[in-house]
DNA sequence: GCACAACTGAACAATATCAGTCATTTTGCG
DNA sequence: CGCAAAATGACTGATATTGTTCAGTTGTGC
């Protein structure tokens, strides 16, 4: 393996985890501790990381903005996004819905060895520079205000692909467990996404219980996993549980 | 194997993986280390890559081959782009090919009341904030280095749409009028674009006459309009004229 | 404070790669 | 066909990188 490749890999581990130990890097890169140390010295000289006893951490200036946002406590949406990211396994292909919640999820998927399918242009911009993630855009008519693509092209594309998991956002969940959306044009898209994935994961922070919306996307029975906050409560959540939805707390 | 073919292959490996080792290239291209090194020296002189111990990595300025190309030959290409923009009428829908030339064309389409269809992500970024232009992305697998989307999704999308005009880029025009490209994966896309538009406009500055390329996209008879520089000359241009192509000077 | 484990830095040997040279083969051209 | 130029592959001494070893240091639990 080329030294540069190793350096890139070390940085990938660092940005993903925030820190990395020499022994972990040894096994991950199949090399000796001496080489890793030499690499770390080199990278420290470049100023991209700081060496600490046993490994290295990202240099303060190198922390990506989303990482800082992610570590702030009390951000209910980010709790959900972070919890959802733990569901994704290496090698999988995931379908990300339109909206800000899935954009936040994408920010937690940096450096992962996965394929992301989406019509969410915010996700595209988030992951555009990430070499690890394979990115597939669904196409469609660009809606600037929503940073997304919609229309028959998007729906057609969804019929041609298959994902291991779809991460769905929503405007709210009604007390009967119905998943609702505000934007009528998105509903057929969301339904097409449901059909294109093996597992349906709904991202809904506690503010979505109960929640309104003009149009019904689907009922609780179509959802496999609900990711929400630990302190979420309400009839909608109970309805989800009764429908056999696995509930994951952020 | 021809040196040019080897160089193209080396670049393909590099853009795909980000780095390549001499030994890997040896076995992949079935040649000796000495030859690979000579190739790398040559390519490094061109500024395309940076040699490192054990192999090569993409040159820092080269990580986005797109941006590099975009800066070269500024005026020559921009003459062509500006002239091409005059062909577009309000209310039309235009299909823009992958590449830098069409990106430049897009820069001249700001504020126009038109619909732009493209798989060129540089065009998307150029026009994303322009309220006047309706933007439709074709979808597909994102190729970061080329700022484009390719693959069967893109081709499928092209079969579903119809444009008044397609603006096509190319690596070069041969003396017999054949339009050539370097990137094999783009050829079926370009052919699908030809089929999806009523009029085919080829953008080719004087540097493209004569020009090489691995794969043939189409012959002169498929082109309706050629936009080039005023001082362009050569057998390829004559072949175009003989085939009845309307030639527009920038 | 002390013992113990883990980590570090430096030196060294082994290995891999590099640049240069030279013989051989291929290519282009009259 | 023959010749010259270019490209290729093999060899060699020089250089760079890597893994190992070991003495010294740091961190941790008692």
């Amino acid at each position: 393996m080329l030294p540069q490749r190793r350096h890139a890999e070390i940085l990938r581990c660092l940005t993903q985890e925030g820190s990395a130990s020499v022994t972990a890097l040894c096994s991950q890169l199949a090399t000796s501790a001496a080489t890793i140390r030499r690499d770390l010295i080199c990278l420290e000289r470049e100023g991209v990381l700081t060496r600490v006893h046993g490994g290295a951490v990202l240099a303060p200036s190198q922390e990506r903005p989303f990482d800082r946002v992610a570590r702030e406590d009390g951000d209910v949406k980010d709790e959900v996004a972070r919890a959802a990211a733990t569901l994704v396994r290496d090698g999988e292909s995931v379908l990300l819905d339109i909206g800000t919640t899935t954009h936040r999820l994408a920010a937690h998927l940096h450096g992962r060895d996965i394929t992301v399918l989406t019509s969410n242009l915010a996700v595209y911009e988030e992951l555009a520079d990430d070499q690890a993630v394979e990115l597939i855009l669904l196409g469609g008519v660009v809606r600037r205000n929503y940073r997304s693509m919609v229309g028959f092209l998007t729906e057609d594309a969804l019929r041609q692909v298959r994902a291991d998991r779809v991460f769905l956002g929503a405007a709210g969940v009604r007390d009967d467990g119905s998943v609702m959306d505000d934007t009528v044009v998105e509903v057929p898209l969301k339904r097409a996404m449901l059909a294109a994935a093996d597992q349906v994961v709904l991202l809904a922070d506690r503010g979505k219980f109960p929640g309104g919306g003009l149009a019904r996307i689907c009922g609780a029975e179509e959802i496999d996993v609900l990711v929400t906050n630990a302190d979420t409560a309400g009839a909608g959540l109970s309805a989800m549980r009764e429908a056999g939805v696995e509930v994951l707390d952020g």
Side-chain angles (χ1 to χ4, degrees), chain A residues 2-5 117 121 124-125 127-142 144-145 147 149 152-153 156-158 160-161:
Chain A
L2 269 63
Q4 281 71 14
R5 191 137 191 83
L117 301 101
L121 289 165
Y124 159 69
E125 276 157 33
L127 297 176
D129 292 323
D130 194 311
Q131 296 289 331
V133 177
E134 170 135 54
L135 200 50
I136 297 176
L137 295 187
L138 297 171
V141 178
V142 174
R144 293 184 170 80
N145 297 336
R147 299 191 90 63
M149 295 175 278
F152 75 97
L153 278 179
D156 282 349
L158 278 167
Q160 312 270 357
V161 299

PDB file of all heavy atoms in Angstrom, chain A residues 2-5 117 121 124-125 127-142 144-145 147 149 152-153 156-158 160-161:
ATOM      1  N   LEU A   2       0.451   2.229  -0.758  1.00  0.00           N
ATOM      2  CA  LEU A   2       1.207   3.481  -0.858  1.00  0.00           C
ATOM      3  C   LEU A   2       1.054   4.303   0.423  1.00  0.00           C
ATOM      4  O   LEU A   2      -0.013   4.325   1.026  1.00  0.00           O
ATOM      5  CB  LEU A   2       0.703   4.312  -2.033  1.00  0.00           C
ATOM      6  CG  LEU A   2       1.366   4.112  -3.387  1.00  0.00           C
ATOM      7  CD1 LEU A   2       1.136   2.690  -3.880  1.00  0.00           C
ATOM      8  CD2 LEU A   2       0.854   5.101  -4.393  1.00  0.00           C
ATOM      9  N   PRO A   3       2.142   4.963   0.813  1.00  0.00           N
ATOM     10  CA  PRO A   3       2.079   5.808   2.014  1.00  0.00           C
ATOM     11  C   PRO A   3       0.933   6.830   1.928  1.00  0.00           C
ATOM     12  O   PRO A   3       0.213   7.033   2.910  1.00  0.00           O
ATOM     13  CB  PRO A   3       3.432   6.524   2.015  1.00  0.00           C
ATOM     14  CG  PRO A   3       4.332   5.629   1.244  1.00  0.00           C
ATOM     15  CD  PRO A   3       3.491   4.944   0.229  1.00  0.00           C
ATOM     16  N   GLN A   4       0.765   7.436   0.772  1.00  0.00           N
ATOM     17  CA  GLN A   4      -0.293   8.441   0.619  1.00  0.00           C
ATOM     18  C   GLN A   4      -1.666   7.829   0.856  1.00  0.00           C
ATOM     19  O   GLN A   4      -2.548   8.450   1.429  1.00  0.00           O
ATOM     20  CB  GLN A   4      -0.245   9.055  -0.781  1.00  0.00           C
ATOM     21  CG  GLN A   4       0.828  10.104  -0.962  1.00  0.00           C
ATOM     22  CD  GLN A   4       2.222   9.508  -0.980  1.00  0.00           C
ATOM     23  OE1 GLN A   4       2.369   8.293  -1.113  1.00  0.00           O
ATOM     24  NE2 GLN A   4       3.221  10.341  -0.831  1.00  0.00           N
ATOM     25  N   ARG A   5      -1.798   6.607   0.375  1.00  0.00           N
ATOM     26  CA  ARG A   5      -3.081   5.923   0.543  1.00  0.00           C
ATOM     27  C   ARG A   5      -3.333   5.673   2.027  1.00  0.00           C
ATOM     28  O   ARG A   5      -4.442   5.793   2.523  1.00  0.00           O
ATOM     29  CB  ARG A   5      -3.044   4.606  -0.234  1.00  0.00           C
ATOM     30  CG  ARG A   5      -4.367   3.936  -0.364  1.00  0.00           C
ATOM     31  CD  ARG A   5      -4.555   3.395  -1.792  1.00  0.00           C
ATOM     32  NE  ARG A   5      -5.930   2.972  -1.980  1.00  0.00           N
ATOM     33  CZ  ARG A   5      -6.911   3.790  -2.292  1.00  0.00           C
ATOM     34  NH1 ARG A   5      -6.667   5.070  -2.439  1.00  0.00           N
ATOM     35  NH2 ARG A   5      -8.129   3.330  -2.458  1.00  0.00           N
ATOM     36  N   LEU A 117     -28.404   6.456  -2.385  1.00  0.00           N
ATOM     37  CA  LEU A 117     -29.308   6.855  -3.466  1.00  0.00           C
ATOM     38  C   LEU A 117     -30.216   7.939  -2.940  1.00  0.00           C
ATOM     39  O   LEU A 117     -30.783   7.791  -1.845  1.00  0.00           O
ATOM     40  CB  LEU A 117     -30.159   5.673  -3.917  1.00  0.00           C
ATOM     41  CG  LEU A 117     -29.431   4.439  -4.438  1.00  0.00           C
ATOM     42  CD1 LEU A 117     -29.369   3.365  -3.372  1.00  0.00           C
ATOM     43  CD2 LEU A 117     -30.121   3.900  -5.679  1.00  0.00           C
ATOM     44  N   LEU A 121     -30.872  17.070  -2.892  1.00  0.00           N
ATOM     45  CA  LEU A 121     -29.677  17.769  -3.372  1.00  0.00           C
ATOM     46  C   LEU A 121     -28.802  18.257  -2.230  1.00  0.00           C
ATOM     47  O   LEU A 121     -27.597  18.452  -2.399  1.00  0.00           O
ATOM     48  CB  LEU A 121     -30.074  18.925  -4.288  1.00  0.00           C
ATOM     49  CG  LEU A 121     -30.621  18.442  -5.638  1.00  0.00           C
ATOM     50  CD1 LEU A 121     -31.340  19.564  -6.384  1.00  0.00           C
ATOM     51  CD2 LEU A 121     -29.501  17.878  -6.501  1.00  0.00           C
ATOM     52  N   TYR A 124     -26.583  15.426  -1.713  1.00  0.00           N
ATOM     53  CA  TYR A 124     -25.545  15.442  -2.751  1.00  0.00           C
ATOM     54  C   TYR A 124     -24.430  16.402  -2.367  1.00  0.00           C
ATOM     55  O   TYR A 124     -23.259  16.059  -2.421  1.00  0.00           O
ATOM     56  CB  TYR A 124     -26.129  15.829  -4.113  1.00  0.00           C
ATOM     57  CG  TYR A 124     -25.095  16.347  -5.075  1.00  0.00           C
ATOM     58  CD1 TYR A 124     -24.125  15.498  -5.608  1.00  0.00           C
ATOM     59  CD2 TYR A 124     -25.036  17.697  -5.419  1.00  0.00           C
ATOM     60  CE1 TYR A 124     -23.151  15.976  -6.455  1.00  0.00           C
ATOM     61  CE2 TYR A 124     -24.059  18.179  -6.266  1.00  0.00           C
ATOM     62  CZ  TYR A 124     -23.117  17.320  -6.788  1.00  0.00           C
ATOM     63  OH  TYR A 124     -22.143  17.804  -7.608  1.00  0.00           O
ATOM     64  N   GLU A 125     -24.796  17.598  -1.961  1.00  0.00           N
ATOM     65  CA  GLU A 125     -23.761  18.583  -1.648  1.00  0.00           C
ATOM     66  C   GLU A 125     -22.957  18.166  -0.418  1.00  0.00           C
ATOM     67  O   GLU A 125     -21.758  18.395  -0.357  1.00  0.00           O
ATOM     68  CB  GLU A 125     -24.394  19.965  -1.456  1.00  0.00           C
ATOM     69  CG  GLU A 125     -24.589  20.637  -2.813  1.00  0.00           C
ATOM     70  CD  GLU A 125     -25.671  21.702  -2.824  1.00  0.00           C
ATOM     71  OE1 GLU A 125     -25.850  22.381  -1.793  1.00  0.00           O
ATOM     72  OE2 GLU A 125     -26.337  21.847  -3.867  1.00  0.00           O
ATOM     73  N   LEU A 127     -22.248  15.071   0.510  1.00  0.00           N
ATOM     74  CA  LEU A 127     -21.399  13.908   0.248  1.00  0.00           C
ATOM     75  C   LEU A 127     -20.602  14.018  -1.056  1.00  0.00           C
ATOM     76  O   LEU A 127     -19.864  13.094  -1.401  1.00  0.00           O
ATOM     77  CB  LEU A 127     -22.252  12.634   0.225  1.00  0.00           C
ATOM     78  CG  LEU A 127     -22.949  12.288   1.544  1.00  0.00           C
ATOM     79  CD1 LEU A 127     -23.841  11.067   1.371  1.00  0.00           C
ATOM     80  CD2 LEU A 127     -21.931  12.034   2.647  1.00  0.00           C
ATOM     81  N   ALA A 128     -20.748  15.133  -1.751  1.00  0.00           N
ATOM     82  CA  ALA A 128     -20.124  15.240  -3.073  1.00  0.00           C
ATOM     83  C   ALA A 128     -18.611  15.059  -3.013  1.00  0.00           C
ATOM     84  O   ALA A 128     -18.020  14.511  -3.936  1.00  0.00           O
ATOM     85  CB  ALA A 128     -20.455  16.585  -3.710  1.00  0.00           C
ATOM     86  N   ASP A 129     -17.983  15.503  -1.926  1.00  0.00           N
ATOM     87  CA  ASP A 129     -16.525  15.436  -1.851  1.00  0.00           C
ATOM     88  C   ASP A 129     -16.030  14.210  -1.105  1.00  0.00           C
ATOM     89  O   ASP A 129     -14.845  14.086  -0.854  1.00  0.00           O
ATOM     90  CB  ASP A 129     -15.986  16.695  -1.161  1.00  0.00           C
ATOM     91  CG  ASP A 129     -16.215  17.919  -2.028  1.00  0.00           C
ATOM     92  OD1 ASP A 129     -16.101  17.787  -3.256  1.00  0.00           O
ATOM     93  OD2 ASP A 129     -16.514  18.984  -1.471  1.00  0.00           O
ATOM     94  N   ASP A 130     -16.917  13.324  -0.764  1.00  0.00           N
ATOM     95  CA  ASP A 130     -16.524  12.167   0.025  1.00  0.00           C
ATOM     96  C   ASP A 130     -16.237  10.988  -0.901  1.00  0.00           C
ATOM     97  O   ASP A 130     -17.138  10.428  -1.523  1.00  0.00           O
ATOM     98  CB  ASP A 130     -17.650  11.814   0.997  1.00  0.00           C
ATOM     99  CG  ASP A 130     -17.168  10.862   2.066  1.00  0.00           C
ATOM    100  OD1 ASP A 130     -16.537   9.861   1.704  1.00  0.00           O
ATOM    101  OD2 ASP A 130     -17.407  11.132   3.245  1.00  0.00           O
ATOM    102  N   GLN A 131     -14.941  10.629  -0.968  1.00  0.00           N
ATOM    103  CA  GLN A 131     -14.537   9.580  -1.914  1.00  0.00           C
ATOM    104  C   GLN A 131     -15.084   8.215  -1.537  1.00  0.00           C
ATOM    105  O   GLN A 131     -15.245   7.345  -2.381  1.00  0.00           O
ATOM    106  CB  GLN A 131     -13.010   9.504  -1.995  1.00  0.00           C
ATOM    107  CG  GLN A 131     -12.347  10.746  -2.541  1.00  0.00           C
ATOM    108  CD  GLN A 131     -12.587  10.932  -4.021  1.00  0.00           C
ATOM    109  OE1 GLN A 131     -12.773   9.964  -4.760  1.00  0.00           O
ATOM    110  NE2 GLN A 131     -12.619  12.179  -4.468  1.00  0.00           N
ATOM    111  N   ALA A 132     -15.343   8.018  -0.251  1.00  0.00           N
ATOM    112  CA  ALA A 132     -15.738   6.675   0.188  1.00  0.00           C
ATOM    113  C   ALA A 132     -17.157   6.328  -0.246  1.00  0.00           C
ATOM    114  O   ALA A 132     -17.439   5.199  -0.628  1.00  0.00           O
ATOM    115  CB  ALA A 132     -15.619   6.579   1.709  1.00  0.00           C
ATOM    116  N   VAL A 133     -18.020   7.301  -0.194  1.00  0.00           N
ATOM    117  CA  VAL A 133     -19.435   7.038  -0.448  1.00  0.00           C
ATOM    118  C   VAL A 133     -19.726   7.058  -1.943  1.00  0.00           C
ATOM    119  O   VAL A 133     -19.381   8.012  -2.630  1.00  0.00           O
ATOM    120  CB  VAL A 133     -20.301   8.104   0.255  1.00  0.00           C
ATOM    121  CG1 VAL A 133     -21.770   7.883  -0.053  1.00  0.00           C
ATOM    122  CG2 VAL A 133     -20.052   8.096   1.744  1.00  0.00           C
ATOM    123  N   GLU A 134     -20.350   5.989  -2.405  1.00  0.00           N
ATOM    124  CA  GLU A 134     -20.833   6.008  -3.798  1.00  0.00           C
ATOM    125  C   GLU A 134     -22.182   6.696  -3.813  1.00  0.00           C
ATOM    126  O   GLU A 134     -23.062   6.372  -3.018  1.00  0.00           O
ATOM    127  CB  GLU A 134     -20.947   4.597  -4.354  1.00  0.00           C
ATOM    128  CG  GLU A 134     -21.658   4.563  -5.685  1.00  0.00           C
ATOM    129  CD  GLU A 134     -20.953   3.689  -6.703  1.00  0.00           C
ATOM    130  OE1 GLU A 134     -20.693   2.506  -6.415  1.00  0.00           O
ATOM    131  OE2 GLU A 134     -20.650   4.209  -7.780  1.00  0.00           O
ATOM    132  N   LEU A 135     -22.325   7.640  -4.720  1.00  0.00           N
ATOM    133  CA  LEU A 135     -23.491   8.498  -4.705  1.00  0.00           C
ATOM    134  C   LEU A 135     -24.265   8.321  -6.000  1.00  0.00           C
ATOM    135  O   LEU A 135     -23.700   8.410  -7.086  1.00  0.00           O
ATOM    136  CB  LEU A 135     -23.002   9.944  -4.561  1.00  0.00           C
ATOM    137  CG  LEU A 135     -23.946  11.015  -4.063  1.00  0.00           C
ATOM    138  CD1 LEU A 135     -24.646  10.591  -2.793  1.00  0.00           C
ATOM    139  CD2 LEU A 135     -23.155  12.284  -3.825  1.00  0.00           C
ATOM    140  N   ILE A 136     -25.575   8.047  -5.858  1.00  0.00           N
ATOM    141  CA  ILE A 136     -26.419   7.912  -7.041  1.00  0.00           C
ATOM    142  C   ILE A 136     -27.586   8.870  -6.898  1.00  0.00           C
ATOM    143  O   ILE A 136     -28.339   8.809  -5.929  1.00  0.00           O
ATOM    144  CB  ILE A 136     -26.922   6.464  -7.193  1.00  0.00           C
ATOM    145  CG1 ILE A 136     -25.730   5.531  -7.409  1.00  0.00           C
ATOM    146  CG2 ILE A 136     -27.907   6.355  -8.358  1.00  0.00           C
ATOM    147  CD1 ILE A 136     -26.104   4.065  -7.470  1.00  0.00           C
ATOM    148  N   LEU A 137     -27.712   9.774  -7.871  1.00  0.00           N
ATOM    149  CA  LEU A 137     -28.823  10.722  -7.846  1.00  0.00           C
ATOM    150  C   LEU A 137     -29.947  10.178  -8.720  1.00  0.00           C
ATOM    151  O   LEU A 137     -29.704   9.582  -9.767  1.00  0.00           O
ATOM    152  CB  LEU A 137     -28.364  12.091  -8.356  1.00  0.00           C
ATOM    153  CG  LEU A 137     -27.328  12.796  -7.488  1.00  0.00           C
ATOM    154  CD1 LEU A 137     -27.068  14.203  -8.002  1.00  0.00           C
ATOM    155  CD2 LEU A 137     -27.777  12.850  -6.043  1.00  0.00           C
ATOM    156  N   LEU A 138     -31.173  10.421  -8.262  1.00  0.00           N
ATOM    157  CA  LEU A 138     -32.325   9.831  -8.948  1.00  0.00           C
ATOM    158  C   LEU A 138     -32.789  10.664 -10.125  1.00  0.00           C
ATOM    159  O   LEU A 138     -33.517  10.182 -10.978  1.00  0.00           O
ATOM    160  CB  LEU A 138     -33.470   9.644  -7.948  1.00  0.00           C
ATOM    161  CG  LEU A 138     -33.151   8.671  -6.811  1.00  0.00           C
ATOM    162  CD1 LEU A 138     -34.242   8.706  -5.767  1.00  0.00           C
ATOM    163  CD2 LEU A 138     -32.999   7.250  -7.347  1.00  0.00           C
ATOM    164  N   GLY A 139     -32.396  11.924 -10.178  1.00  0.00           N
ATOM    165  CA  GLY A 139     -32.841  12.772 -11.267  1.00  0.00           C
ATOM    166  C   GLY A 139     -34.229  13.328 -11.018  1.00  0.00           C
ATOM    167  O   GLY A 139     -34.906  12.952 -10.058  1.00  0.00           O
ATOM    168  N   GLY A 140     -34.634  14.250 -11.905  1.00  0.00           N
ATOM    169  CA  GLY A 140     -35.948  14.855 -11.779  1.00  0.00           C
ATOM    170  C   GLY A 140     -35.887  16.367 -11.904  1.00  0.00           C
ATOM    171  O   GLY A 140     -34.825  16.937 -12.135  1.00  0.00           O
ATOM    172  N   VAL A 141     -37.037  16.999 -11.718  1.00  0.00           N
ATOM    173  CA  VAL A 141     -37.131  18.450 -11.811  1.00  0.00           C
ATOM    174  C   VAL A 141     -36.619  19.062 -10.508  1.00  0.00           C
ATOM    175  O   VAL A 141     -37.046  18.668  -9.432  1.00  0.00           O
ATOM    176  CB  VAL A 141     -38.595  18.888 -12.047  1.00  0.00           C
ATOM    177  CG1 VAL A 141     -38.699  20.404 -12.095  1.00  0.00           C
ATOM    178  CG2 VAL A 141     -39.130  18.251 -13.315  1.00  0.00           C
ATOM    179  N   VAL A 142     -35.674  19.990 -10.630  1.00  0.00           N
ATOM    180  CA  VAL A 142     -35.066  20.587  -9.445  1.00  0.00           C
ATOM    181  C   VAL A 142     -36.032  21.580  -8.802  1.00  0.00           C
ATOM    182  O   VAL A 142     -36.512  22.507  -9.460  1.00  0.00           O
ATOM    183  CB  VAL A 142     -33.749  21.303  -9.818  1.00  0.00           C
ATOM    184  CG1 VAL A 142     -33.191  22.052  -8.612  1.00  0.00           C
ATOM    185  CG2 VAL A 142     -32.745  20.303 -10.343  1.00  0.00           C
ATOM    186  N   ARG A 144     -35.803  24.266  -6.189  1.00  0.00           N
ATOM    187  CA  ARG A 144     -34.734  24.980  -5.497  1.00  0.00           C
ATOM    188  C   ARG A 144     -35.039  25.175  -4.017  1.00  0.00           C
ATOM    189  O   ARG A 144     -34.169  25.004  -3.161  1.00  0.00           O
ATOM    190  CB  ARG A 144     -34.511  26.331  -6.155  1.00  0.00           C
ATOM    191  CG  ARG A 144     -33.959  26.192  -7.550  1.00  0.00           C
ATOM    192  CD  ARG A 144     -33.655  27.533  -8.161  1.00  0.00           C
ATOM    193  NE  ARG A 144     -32.908  27.328  -9.397  1.00  0.00           N
ATOM    194  CZ  ARG A 144     -33.475  26.988 -10.538  1.00  0.00           C
ATOM    195  NH1 ARG A 144     -34.782  26.807 -10.606  1.00  0.00           N
ATOM    196  NH2 ARG A 144     -32.731  26.807 -11.620  1.00  0.00           N
ATOM    197  N   ASN A 145     -36.284  25.547  -3.717  1.00  0.00           N
ATOM    198  CA  ASN A 145     -36.614  25.877  -2.326  1.00  0.00           C
ATOM    199  C   ASN A 145     -36.469  24.689  -1.401  1.00  0.00           C
ATOM    200  O   ASN A 145     -36.239  24.842  -0.211  1.00  0.00           O
ATOM    201  CB  ASN A 145     -38.036  26.412  -2.233  1.00  0.00           C
ATOM    202  CG  ASN A 145     -38.183  27.706  -3.013  1.00  0.00           C
ATOM    203  OD1 ASN A 145     -37.185  28.401  -3.225  1.00  0.00           O
ATOM    204  ND2 ASN A 145     -39.381  28.010  -3.443  1.00  0.00           N
ATOM    205  N   ARG A 147     -34.422  22.035  -2.144  1.00  0.00           N
ATOM    206  CA  ARG A 147     -33.159  21.351  -2.472  1.00  0.00           C
ATOM    207  C   ARG A 147     -33.404  19.883  -2.786  1.00  0.00           C
ATOM    208  O   ARG A 147     -32.808  18.989  -2.187  1.00  0.00           O
ATOM    209  CB  ARG A 147     -32.164  21.464  -1.326  1.00  0.00           C
ATOM    210  CG  ARG A 147     -31.794  22.906  -1.019  1.00  0.00           C
ATOM    211  CD  ARG A 147     -30.628  22.976  -0.093  1.00  0.00           C
ATOM    212  NE  ARG A 147     -29.353  23.001  -0.814  1.00  0.00           N
ATOM    213  CZ  ARG A 147     -28.984  23.963  -1.646  1.00  0.00           C
ATOM    214  NH1 ARG A 147     -29.782  24.941  -1.944  1.00  0.00           N
ATOM    215  NH2 ARG A 147     -27.812  23.929  -2.215  1.00  0.00           N
ATOM    216  N   MET A 149     -35.198  16.935  -5.933  1.00  0.00           N
ATOM    217  CA  MET A 149     -35.689  16.663  -7.278  1.00  0.00           C
ATOM    218  C   MET A 149     -36.971  15.847  -7.159  1.00  0.00           C
ATOM    219  O   MET A 149     -37.052  14.926  -6.342  1.00  0.00           O
ATOM    220  CB  MET A 149     -34.661  15.871  -8.067  1.00  0.00           C
ATOM    221  CG  MET A 149     -33.378  16.652  -8.305  1.00  0.00           C
ATOM    222  SD  MET A 149     -32.120  15.663  -9.116  1.00  0.00           S
ATOM    223  CE  MET A 149     -31.442  14.780  -7.719  1.00  0.00           C
ATOM    224  N   PHE A 152     -41.835  12.725 -12.512  1.00  0.00           N
ATOM    225  CA  PHE A 152     -41.937  11.357 -13.024  1.00  0.00           C
ATOM    226  C   PHE A 152     -40.561  10.740 -13.254  1.00  0.00           C
ATOM    227  O   PHE A 152     -40.394   9.530 -13.115  1.00  0.00           O
ATOM    228  CB  PHE A 152     -42.781  11.328 -14.304  1.00  0.00           C
ATOM    229  CG  PHE A 152     -42.094  11.851 -15.517  1.00  0.00           C
ATOM    230  CD1 PHE A 152     -41.475  10.978 -16.411  1.00  0.00           C
ATOM    231  CD2 PHE A 152     -42.053  13.218 -15.781  1.00  0.00           C
ATOM    232  CE1 PHE A 152     -40.839  11.452 -17.524  1.00  0.00           C
ATOM    233  CE2 PHE A 152     -41.403  13.701 -16.900  1.00  0.00           C
ATOM    234  CZ  PHE A 152     -40.802  12.817 -17.777  1.00  0.00           C
ATOM    235  N   LEU A 153     -39.561  11.576 -13.570  1.00  0.00           N
ATOM    236  CA  LEU A 153     -38.212  11.015 -13.756  1.00  0.00           C
ATOM    237  C   LEU A 153     -37.723  10.392 -12.456  1.00  0.00           C
ATOM    238  O   LEU A 153     -37.105   9.328 -12.449  1.00  0.00           O
ATOM    239  CB  LEU A 153     -37.227  12.104 -14.185  1.00  0.00           C
ATOM    240  CG  LEU A 153     -37.196  12.478 -15.663  1.00  0.00           C
ATOM    241  CD1 LEU A 153     -36.179  13.583 -15.899  1.00  0.00           C
ATOM    242  CD2 LEU A 153     -36.867  11.263 -16.526  1.00  0.00           C
ATOM    243  N   ASP A 156     -39.647   7.172 -11.905  1.00  0.00           N
ATOM    244  CA  ASP A 156     -39.158   6.124 -12.808  1.00  0.00           C
ATOM    245  C   ASP A 156     -37.836   5.556 -12.308  1.00  0.00           C
ATOM    246  O   ASP A 156     -37.618   4.342 -12.305  1.00  0.00           O
ATOM    247  CB  ASP A 156     -38.964   6.685 -14.219  1.00  0.00           C
ATOM    248  CG  ASP A 156     -40.289   6.809 -14.954  1.00  0.00           C
ATOM    249  OD1 ASP A 156     -41.285   6.279 -14.444  1.00  0.00           O
ATOM    250  OD2 ASP A 156     -40.308   7.438 -16.025  1.00  0.00           O
ATOM    251  N   ALA A 157     -36.957   6.453 -11.884  1.00  0.00           N
ATOM    252  CA  ALA A 157     -35.647   6.005 -11.399  1.00  0.00           C
ATOM    253  C   ALA A 157     -35.823   5.098 -10.185  1.00  0.00           C
ATOM    254  O   ALA A 157     -35.134   4.081 -10.043  1.00  0.00           O
ATOM    255  CB  ALA A 157     -34.772   7.205 -11.065  1.00  0.00           C
ATOM    256  N   LEU A 158     -36.764   5.442  -9.327  1.00  0.00           N
ATOM    257  CA  LEU A 158     -36.991   4.638  -8.122  1.00  0.00           C
ATOM    258  C   LEU A 158     -37.483   3.239  -8.466  1.00  0.00           C
ATOM    259  O   LEU A 158     -37.243   2.288  -7.728  1.00  0.00           O
ATOM    260  CB  LEU A 158     -37.997   5.339  -7.207  1.00  0.00           C
ATOM    261  CG  LEU A 158     -37.403   6.427  -6.322  1.00  0.00           C
ATOM    262  CD1 LEU A 158     -38.488   7.276  -5.697  1.00  0.00           C
ATOM    263  CD2 LEU A 158     -36.527   5.800  -5.244  1.00  0.00           C
ATOM    264  N   GLN A 160     -36.338   1.571 -10.832  1.00  0.00           N
ATOM    265  CA  GLN A 160     -35.211   0.842 -11.416  1.00  0.00           C
ATOM    266  C   GLN A 160     -34.182   0.427 -10.386  1.00  0.00           C
ATOM    267  O   GLN A 160     -33.209  -0.229 -10.736  1.00  0.00           O
ATOM    268  CB  GLN A 160     -34.489   1.731 -12.446  1.00  0.00           C
ATOM    269  CG  GLN A 160     -35.389   2.406 -13.427  1.00  0.00           C
ATOM    270  CD  GLN A 160     -35.610   1.553 -14.649  1.00  0.00           C
ATOM    271  OE1 GLN A 160     -35.029   0.481 -14.756  1.00  0.00           O
ATOM    272  NE2 GLN A 160     -36.441   2.024 -15.539  1.00  0.00           N
ATOM    273  N   VAL A 161     -34.333   0.886  -9.152  1.00  0.00           N
ATOM    274  CA  VAL A 161     -33.286   0.626  -8.169  1.00  0.00           C
ATOM    275  C   VAL A 161     -33.851  -0.116  -6.963  1.00  0.00           C
ATOM    276  O   VAL A 161     -35.059  -0.225  -6.781  1.00  0.00           O
ATOM    277  CB  VAL A 161     -32.619   1.943  -7.690  1.00  0.00           C
ATOM    278  CG1 VAL A 161     -31.958   2.668  -8.842  1.00  0.00           C
ATOM    279  CG2 VAL A 161     -33.631   2.843  -7.007  1.00  0.00           C
TER     280      VAL A 161
END
